[in-house]
Amino acid sequence: MAEESKQYTADKEGERLDVFLTRMEPELSRAHIQKIVAAGKAEVSGRARKSNYKLQAGEMVLLTIPAAQPVAILPEDIPLDVLYEDADIIVVNKPRGMVVHPATGVYSGTLVNALLFHCHDLSGINGEIRPGIVHRLDKDTSGVMVAAKNDAAHIDLAEQIRTKTAHRIYNAIVCGNIREEAGIIKGDIGRHPTDRKKMAIVHEHGKPAVTHFRVLERFGDYTLVECRLETGRTHQIRVHMASIGHPVLGDPKYGPRKACPFAIEGQALHSLSLSLTHPVTRERMTFTAPLPEDMANILKVLRAKYKR
């Protein structure tokens, strides 16, 4: 991406320059904005200012975003739990704690690094940073994922996800006892209005999102649910379950602030199964990944407590 200049008009009296620019550029972190400002790339009324400069309403702000520097994404010999593989697709059980693809500040240890070593051939539609990646899971969500080995397979799989002919089912342990046996949660999801690292149900500029849930087991203070996605928005299940008062257990962003009473790093959310049509053979296929050990252990404790 080439260097890009953007102009804004300050709309709040006394707001810090870096806070204002982070609000205007939600895809950039505040730390990244501060580096740009420190390099003299943010001018207020024609004069470069520091991050802590207090804006006056109506002032013109010119931000020059430097050109992105190419980063080499290297194959890494990272073990993969491969559920299925052929010449066109590879299906894996992603472990909790693994980032799917490189992003700012994270260029190694990702699923993409592992796939590049294992496969050597991945589709190039998403460029050098996300080769083969058709859909994503959050870092701390485990379970089934499919990647494409060539562009034709990638296009076909992406269309299946877009048209909802590929079905994804998740298991989650959530806080509280859900009264209903099943339900549908609808709410447009977009960037949180004050915390850019979070998503939220928003009334403007959000994307439609629909989650179906079904109760599998109840444990008094916790409930095991099955979730089926109609859409695939960022943090969708986590945001939707939190919106009805039942955040996913262990969720560091949307869960209770108190420490999780169980041994789990991140949210108790697992991509249990993925059903799709093979992009070449047209065979209908379903792939399932067993619950990770941490979630299985939590359920074992809860079932023992409630004598299930």
Side-chain angles (χ1 to χ4, degrees):
M1 184 181 72
E3 184 175 270
E4 183 179 11
S5 294
K6 297 184 178 182
Q7 186 167 294
Y8 304 101
T9 302
D11 56 354
K12 290 184 180 180
E13 192 72 25
E15 186 173 27
R16 280 178 57 114
L17 176 60
D18 57 348
V19 174
F20 169 74
L21 289 174
T22 302
R23 186 159 58 86
M24 294 298 102
E25 293 289 333
E27 296 304 315
L28 300 180
S29 69
R30 187 171 174 182
H32 191 182
I33 287 289
Q34 289 173 340
K35 289 181 181 179
I36 295 174
V37 175
K41 298 291 186 179
E43 297 181 1
V44 180
S45 300
R47 182 179 175 183
R49 296 289 188 178
K50 295 182 178 180
S51 288
N52 63 358
Y53 176 78
K54 299 295 180 65
L55 292 165
Q56 298 178 29
E59 282 190 302
M60 302 303 297
V61 180
L62 179 65
L63 176 69
T64 301
I65 302 173
Q69 298 300 313
V71 177
I73 307 303
L74 303 176
E76 295 181 38
D77 187 4
I78 301 171
L80 284 175
D81 182 3
V82 178
L83 303 176
Y84 175 83
E85 183 178 9
D86 62 22
D88 302 291
I89 65 174
I90 179 170
V91 182
V92 301
N93 178 16
K94 186 189 85 67
R96 189 184 322 283
M98 175 181 275
V99 175
V100 169
H101 61 76
T104 302
V106 181
Y107 302 113
S108 65
T110 73
L111 178 62
V112 163
N113 296 107
L115 287 172
L116 286 172
F117 183 91
H118 179 87
C119 299
H120 306 294
D121 51 348
L122 292 170
S123 71
I125 288 177
N126 279 335
E128 295 180 359
I129 297 294
R130 294 182 291 170
I133 300 302
V134 179
H135 66 115
R136 292 179 290 178
L137 293 177
D138 297 336
K139 173 186 175 183
D140 290 326
T141 298
S142 57
V144 183
M145 277 193 65
V146 63
K149 288 189 170 186
N150 53 67
D151 289 358
H154 192 130
I155 292 169
D156 189 278
L157 292 171
E159 181 66 9
Q160 290 185 49
I161 290 174
R162 187 188 71 81
T163 58
K164 306 178 182 63
T165 55
H167 300 147
R168 291 168 284 174
I169 295 176
Y170 293 73
N171 276 178
I173 304 172
V174 301
C175 300
N177 190 345
I178 300 178
R179 293 182 179 180
E180 302 86 359
E181 291 298 324
I184 302 174
I185 308 171
K186 297 180 180 180
D188 291 3
I189 291 179
R191 189 70 61 183
H192 192 284
T194 59
D195 186 347
R196 67 166 302 279
K197 294 182 179 180
K198 296 173 66 174
M199 307 301 286
I201 291 180
V202 296
H203 301 294
E204 294 182 353
H205 310 302
K207 295 181 178 179
V210 180
T211 302
H212 298 253
F213 71 86
R214 180 170 66 91
V215 171
L216 299 178
E217 292 184 65
R218 302 178 188 277
F219 306 104
D221 294 331
Y222 303 97
T223 307
L224 175 65
V225 296
E226 175 186 282
C227 294
R228 181 170 59 82
L229 297 179
E230 274 195 30
T231 52
R233 310 306 177 198
T234 301
H235 299 177
Q236 179 173 320
I237 292 174
R238 299 163 64 189
V239 171
H240 272 175
M241 295 310 299
S243 75
I244 63 170
H246 297 286
V248 179
L249 174 68
D251 194 325
K253 289 184 182 294
Y254 307 101
R257 292 186 178 180
K258 62 182 180 180
C260 177
F262 299 98
I264 186 170
E265 293 292 330
Q267 60 274 0
L269 179 61
H270 177 69
S271 174
L272 182 71
S273 70
L274 170 65
S275 297
L276 53 83
T277 300
H278 192 281
V280 175
T281 68
R282 309 317 296 172
E283 176 187 357
R284 192 66 182 174
M285 310 176 81
T286 297
F287 307 100
T288 302
L291 285 178
E293 185 177 1
D294 51 12
M295 284 183 67
N297 287 339
I298 292 172
L299 290 175
K300 183 178 180 180
V301 170
L302 290 172
R303 285 167 182 155
K305 181 178 179 180
Y306 290 89
K307 302 187 189 318
R308 298 289 177 120

